[in-house]
Amino acid sequence: MYEVVLPRIGTVAAWRAEARRLARAGIPPEAVLWRRGGQAPDLFAGAPVVAEGTARDIRLSKIAIDGIESALYHTDPERFARAYRTVLRLSAGAVQWGDRSDADVAKLLAQGKAIGRDVHKMHAFVRFREVEAQGPRRAFAAWFEPEHPCLERGAPFFAKRFGDMDWVIATPDLTARFEDGKLRYEETEAPERPPEDATEDLWRTYYASIFNPARVMVKAMCAEMPKKYWKNLPEAELIPGLIEGAEARVRAMAETMPVLEPDRRARALSDHAARVLAKPAPEGPVATLAEEVRGCTRCDLCHHATQAVPGQGPREARVMIVGEQPGDQEDLRGQPFVGPAGQVFDRAAGAAGLDRQAAFITNAVKHFKFQARGKRRIHQRPDAGEVEACRWWLDLERELVRPELIVAMGATAAEALTGEGRHLTRRRGRIETLTDGTPVLITWHPSYILRLPDADARARAEAELVGDLTIARQMGEAGALGAAGAQIATIRER
């Protein structure tokens, strides 16, 4: 066996150089024993080298190198052997970086991710204490206990951020010293936490000032700030008391809160809806409101579209479906969801058992926004101002119908209803609650499914749309908040 003993300082750089040298010599992975300095030697170490592989130069992508080297900071004793075996297979084209079906690649990716989290915690939880300076620059010291020996991965961040002072970050494994603008590492000889100083009170005061008792979520806080780091965080000793007194502080804040004036916009919407209901019309209030929508000039889109497309459905509908805006066919026919996207919606609604005729179907924006290219009209996503202008009509439709559940299809619908149109992948399939208590189920827009280039991806997305519409049907039948398994997150409504 061929034994490689890597130094404790510069371990990754040494592994890289050694792996390149071994590959050029044709040494196979199974003929190498790897260990980092300070570990017990292997019984088979030092045996004669038997080169059975093919000599080659290692050539990998930058992202693969970074991912592999990140994983080398893990504590797993097999990491060096696994990484060497993987780079040989990657270089030979036997496996692709990122292929999680391969056990070695999947393990390296997972370990690299763990190191990323550990470095993030280091950047967040290192607390410097000022110590006696040996020169003109102020000096600070910190003690940190990472889960993995990743100090060399995380310390350059502090060199960039605190380049005008000298500092030391000691860990149980290595110590980083930054003096006169130069960063170096040494093995930790005496693992001792630096003495307390005035900055301890500074951290406590700062943390107490930013602690919001109205948003105490202990589980989420412990996930972001694990308790194993608390012993080295001066502000952590305040946390139990702050949590215990949070409820009383919220009550005190509520008692001293000034009485707010009624929302003028909400009052105007209510008055407008009352006028629509009071207006005698044989077709009913939905048709009356639709006539008002068709005369809309609230933004520039009315000068380009053929006509406005109001919502459609019974006023007593329990479920409201909200899309983005009319498409080419909807613009010509004056009805929502009758084009190709409407066909996808009808197919998904049918599979979910959702009766389209029983739902109120509308769009966040009532006019078609497009760009003319020859004879074609290419869909253009409405901007924030156009969404805001049309929100008046959407809110009136909500005021008139008062649905028990709203299904927001796509980012524009989510933005119009919740004020936030980002992170749709993470939010899809979840239920968010508006400030008036109305639940909103977020899902894909049928147009998004049509634009997916891959057939399998389209099938998966449509199946997810069917699943979401099934939940909507069940909630509509059982009463909005009775659906099992729904995850509710309260968010703001503009």
Side-chain angles (χ1 to χ4, degrees):
M1 297 295 285
Y2 188 80
E3 182 186 34
V4 178
V5 182
L6 300 171
R8 295 175 64 82
I9 300 172
T11 306
V12 174
W15 174 89
R16 182 170 57 242
E18 195 65 21
R20 185 178 295 115
R21 189 174 69 84
L22 292 171
R24 286 174 178 167
I27 307 299
E30 58 273 17
V32 185
L33 290 176
W34 299 85
R35 67 183 178 92
R36 188 171 177 245
Q39 298 176 359
D42 192 278
L43 292 175
F44 300 99
V49 176
V50 179
E52 300 175 351
T54 303
R56 63 168 58 92
D57 286 327
I58 299 174
R59 296 184 182 279
L60 302 178
S61 66
K62 186 176 180 181
I63 188 170
I65 294 172
D66 185 68
I68 291 170
E69 292 190 350
S70 177
L72 291 177
Y73 289 99
H74 202 275
T75 53
D76 181 3
E78 296 297 322
R79 62 193 184 281
F80 302 117
R82 182 181 299 109
Y84 180 56
R85 182 169 63 242
T86 304
V87 297
L88 291 181
R89 296 173 63 215
L90 288 169
S91 185
V95 67
Q96 295 290 322
W97 180 250
D99 181 4
R100 295 180 185 276
S101 64
D102 183 86
D104 284 344
V105 174
K107 192 73 174 180
L108 289 170
L109 287 169
Q111 292 181 343
K113 190 174 182 179
I115 295 304
R117 287 196 298 269
D118 213 20
V119 170
H120 170 73
K121 300 301 183 188
M122 179 189 297
H123 294 166
F125 299 143
V126 160
R127 298 289 184 265
F128 284 109
R129 297 167 176 81
E130 189 160 12
V131 296
E132 184 177 354
Q134 301 299 317
R137 289 155 59 97
R138 296 177 67 187
F140 295 82
W143 171 255
F144 186 71
E145 298 178 20
E147 188 173 349
H148 305 279
C150 58
L151 179 64
E152 292 180 87
R153 186 82 170 178
F157 164 84
F158 298 98
K160 293 180 180 177
R161 189 163 186 178
F162 305 114
D164 60 342
M165 64 186 196
D166 294 339
W167 49 259
V168 173
I169 300 177
T171 71
D173 181 59
L174 298 179
T175 295
R177 291 188 179 277
F178 187 75
E179 296 172 340
D180 296 327
K182 295 181 180 177
L183 179 62
R184 61 184 175 86
Y185 301 93
E186 60 189 41
E187 295 190 23
T188 301
E189 296 180 355
E192 295 179 359
R193 177 180 171 176
E196 293 190 0
D197 67 356
T199 57
E200 305 278 308
D201 289 334
L202 180 63
W203 275 110
R204 295 187 188 98
T205 302
Y206 170 73
Y207 188 79
S209 68
I210 65 171
F211 185 86
N212 186 350
R215 302 186 64 185
V216 175
M217 294 181 286
V218 178
K219 191 173 181 180
M221 184 177 67
C222 290
E224 182 61 27
M225 186 189 290
K227 287 188 176 181
K228 63 183 178 182
Y229 297 110
W230 286 21
K231 61 183 179 182
N232 293 318
L233 299 176
E235 68 272 26
E237 63 186 54
L238 301 178
I239 293 176
L242 290 170
I243 293 175
E244 187 177 354
E247 186 176 348
R249 289 182 61 189
V250 170
R251 280 200 303 270
M253 290 165 61
E255 291 171 356
T256 58
M257 183 179 294
V259 178
L260 299 177
E261 291 292 328
D263 186 340
R264 290 184 178 181
R265 189 176 186 281
R267 192 166 54 194
L269 278 169
S270 181
D271 292 346
H272 194 141
R275 289 197 296 275
V276 170
L277 289 169
K279 194 171 182 178
E283 297 84 3
V286 171
T288 301
L289 181 60
E291 283 303 312
E292 294 189 8
V293 171
R294 292 190 182 95
C296 175
T297 57
R298 296 177 68 86
C299 74
D300 190 56
L301 292 182
C302 65
H303 302 299
H304 307 284
T306 305
Q307 58 184 314
V309 180
Q312 194 176 59
R315 188 198 160 207
E316 62 277 9
R318 304 179 74 171
V319 177
M320 174 180 279
I321 309 291
V322 182
E324 183 189 75
Q325 64 161 336
D328 183 75
Q329 293 298 314
E330 287 82 1
D331 174 73
L332 296 174
R333 296 170 58 177
Q335 295 178 297
F337 284 92
V338 292
Q343 293 171 15
V344 174
F345 170 74
D346 286 344
R347 189 165 61 238
L354 180 68
D355 182 4
R356 171 172 176 150
Q357 302 304 318
F360 190 92
I361 300 176
T362 188
N363 285 297
V365 174
K366 311 302 183 189
H367 282 103
F368 180 35
K369 182 177 182 180
F370 62 92
Q371 183 180 42
R373 292 183 187 172
K375 296 181 179 179
R376 299 180 60 196
R377 299 192 300 175
I378 307 301
H379 160 273
Q380 297 288 297
R381 183 175 177 176
D383 61 31
E386 291 155 353
V387 173
E388 176 60 28
C390 234
R391 197 164 65 90
W392 173 260
W393 298 117
L394 179 61
D395 286 347
L396 265 176
E397 289 172 334
R398 288 178 50 203
E399 182 74 19
L400 195 66
V401 178
R402 295 183 180 274
E404 295 181 8
L405 171 69
I406 300 175
V407 178
M409 298 198 298
T412 300
E415 179 184 354
L417 290 162
T418 69
E420 177 58 80
R422 298 178 299 172
H423 310 305
L424 205 67
T425 301
R426 192 170 61 202
R427 298 165 67 189
R428 187 211 63 78
R430 299 189 62 185
I431 294 176
E432 303 178 356
T433 306
L434 304 183
T435 53
D436 67 356
T438 306
V440 177
L441 174 61
I442 311 289
T443 189
W444 303 129
H445 194 285
S447 293
Y448 161 76
I449 298 174
L450 286 174
R451 289 195 297 269
L452 289 172
D454 181 69
D456 291 340
R458 284 198 300 275
R460 282 197 301 272
E462 186 164 334
E464 290 170 343
L465 177 61
V466 171
D468 295 340
L469 292 179
T470 300
I471 292 175
R473 175 183 59 78
Q474 293 171 341
M475 293 179 70
E477 292 172 352
L481 293 177
Q487 303 175 54
I488 296 178
T490 301
I491 61 172
R492 63 191 170 87
E493 183 183 20
R494 292 184 305 177

